[in-house]
Amino acid sequence: MKPHHRIFFIQFAVALSLGAFVSRLPDLQLKFSLTEGELGLLLAVMSSGVLCGLTFSVRFIERLGARTTAFVTVFGASLFFALIPWMPSALLAVPLFFIAGVFTGAFEINANIETDRHEALLGYRIMSRAHGMWSLGFCITALVAAGMRQAAVSIELHTFIVLVTVLIAGSIVFAGIEKAPRRQDAHSGDTPIIAFPTIGLLPLCLVAAAPLLAEGASVDWSAIYMRDVFAVEPFVGGLSVTIFSSFIAIARLGMDPVIDRFNPRPVAITLLGIAAIGVVMVATATHPVVALAGFGLTGIGCSSVYPLAISAAARRTDRPAPVNVAALGQTTFLVFFAGPPLLGFVAEHFGIRFSYWAVVPVLAAALLVTRALAADPAPVTGQPEPAQPHG
């Protein structure tokens, strides 16, 4: 296994755990007897944990190194996602939501920094592929979850099986992780304990946040949307997450060569436009098939905009790369995890269709600041990755 493939697996493993968990949110909602707004509050607690992980973990990640951080964050997040369904009440689950969020935020910094450093070593882009592994993990786990729900497998047993899978596979893969060297043009300053975004970083934060809001709405609320609007079978409702995740995974896994050829800004503009079309299709759908097609287009549109923003932030030379990535991650993942809870309140008071309409203005605002991607100070100019023999 190549060194950067082990970094890819960090994304894949966390996606397996988180994807299994969010795919069973309708069951968790019923288990705890929660309204959409109350479920949104629990997700907001997780969001605050993610924010803490992104804000305070940079220095600790640099000290621990990529391998140890992978073990701690991936296994920690997977454990607490698996423990939440076993809680007897939502109140007792609150601290578990927060701790799972902390590990998730710290994992994000570690995975993105190592991916950027491996990009510098390889000479071509791999950031989109790394996030494609996240989406592939979501796709696989969402498909399994749809089958589990249809077969009436309990959420407790389902998440426990996923935890065991991640522990076994992660122990094998993470053992061989080697920390990549910093970029040659990287800022050599000290890494602060807290990372905040600068004014120059804010446009990139908006570009990254818009597709993540659409992604959060699609991943967290799509199964509930399909159930409440169309009263479909659990398997069909679960297909919404599966279709979204499969389309975003396919697009991300194949997008790096496209970005190298056409440059980040035109690709981002096209993708944000596709995402807007997909969200509007979901909001106006009169048939389940139309809604599922809308989730598919939204997946394509959300695919590589966030990885593009991460790469641009990591290559800025005003501060150390981990600080800029953490600062961008704070803002965007706050949207990713806090956005769905807010959309839950919108759904409860104005209807779940309107919650998807609320995403459209954010996508439009991101289109207005895509120029921030054109200012990438250290573009990748290497050759595309050569084909590897099978075996």
Side-chain angles (χ1 to χ4, degrees):
M1 181 178 289
K2 292 185 176 181
H4 62 283
H5 291 165
R6 297 182 185 274
I7 304 302
F8 288 176
F9 190 78
I10 298 177
Q11 300 271 10
F12 183 82
V14 175
L16 284 181
S17 298
L18 180 59
F21 180 74
V22 299
S23 296
R24 301 301 297 260
L25 281 179
D27 302 301
L28 194 69
Q29 181 184 19
L30 294 176
K31 174 183 172 65
F32 290 151
S33 300
L34 302 173
T35 66
E36 281 82 359
E38 290 169 341
L39 179 60
L41 281 175
L42 284 179
L43 295 176
V45 171
M46 186 190 298
S47 303
S48 64
V50 172
L51 183 61
C52 287
L54 289 166
T55 303
F56 298 105
S57 64
V58 176
R59 180 174 292 182
F60 300 103
I61 290 171
E62 287 289 280
R63 184 177 302 170
L64 292 175
R67 183 192 300 115
T68 302
T69 302
F71 276 112
V72 172
T73 57
V74 175
F75 290 175
S78 299
L79 174 62
F80 283 93
F81 284 131
L83 287 176
I84 288 172
W86 292 88
M87 293 296 102
S89 69
L91 185 61
L92 292 177
V94 168
L96 277 66
F97 271 90
F98 180 82
I99 297 171
V102 172
F103 283 121
T104 303
F107 126 81
E108 176 70 12
I109 298 174
N110 186 44
N112 284 323
I113 288 300
E114 288 303 307
T115 300
D116 176 70
R117 289 172 177 173
H118 281 285
E119 265 191 347
L121 290 176
L122 293 168
Y124 50 79
R125 293 182 185 270
I126 61 170
M127 185 67 75
S128 186
R129 268 170 283 186
H131 287 264
M133 293 302 295
W134 165 277
S135 302
L136 182 62
F138 249 103
C139 176
I140 293 173
T141 200
L143 182 60
V144 172
M148 292 278 195
R149 293 189 69 212
Q150 189 69 29
V153 176
S154 70
I155 183 176
E156 293 88 352
L157 178 59
H158 179 193
T159 53
F160 177 76
I161 292 172
V162 173
L163 171 63
V164 172
T165 302
V166 170
L167 290 177
I168 294 173
S171 297
I172 297 171
V173 177
F174 297 157
I177 290 178
E178 297 181 4
K179 184 176 180 179
R182 296 185 179 187
R183 285 180 174 270
Q184 293 183 354
D185 60 347
H187 193 285
S188 58
D190 294 331
T191 302
I193 295 178
I194 304 176
F196 291 113
T198 60
I199 294 178
L201 196 64
L202 288 180
L204 282 177
C205 291
L206 178 56
V207 170
L212 284 185
L213 179 62
E215 182 177 350
S218 300
V219 169
D220 287 2
W221 290 109
S222 59
I224 296 174
Y225 171 89
M226 296 295 291
R227 181 195 67 188
D228 291 353
V229 174
F230 299 111
V232 295
E233 292 292 323
F235 181 80
V236 178
L239 280 179
S240 58
V241 181
T242 304
I243 290 174
F244 174 86
S245 301
S246 61
F247 275 74
I248 195 174
I250 292 169
R252 281 177 168 175
L253 291 172
M255 196 63 67
D256 284 317
V258 177
I259 298 169
D260 281 332
R261 180 172 181 179
F262 294 104
N263 296 322
R265 190 186 181 197
V267 173
I269 291 173
T270 302
L271 292 176
L272 287 170
I274 294 173
I277 293 172
V279 171
V280 171
M281 285 181 63
V282 172
T284 59
T286 56
H287 192 277
V289 173
V290 177
L292 293 175
F295 284 119
L297 282 179
T298 305
I300 295 173
C302 292
S303 60
S304 293
V305 179
Y306 177 71
L308 281 172
I310 285 290
S311 289
R315 293 171 186 171
R316 290 176 63 90
T317 56
D318 57 333
R319 296 190 296 180
V323 180
N324 281 326
V325 170
L328 179 72
Q330 285 177 46
T331 308
T332 54
F333 265 71
L334 181 62
V335 171
F336 181 63
F337 285 102
L342 294 176
L343 294 177
F345 285 105
V346 173
E348 186 172 357
H349 292 91
F350 300 99
I352 197 164
R353 285 186 182 273
F354 193 81
S355 65
Y356 285 90
W357 278 114
V359 177
V360 177
V362 183
L363 292 170
L367 280 166
L368 298 177
V369 294
T370 52
R371 188 176 298 275
L373 293 171
D376 189 343
V380 175
T381 57
Q383 297 299 315
E385 183 174 13
Q388 297 296 324
H390 295 288

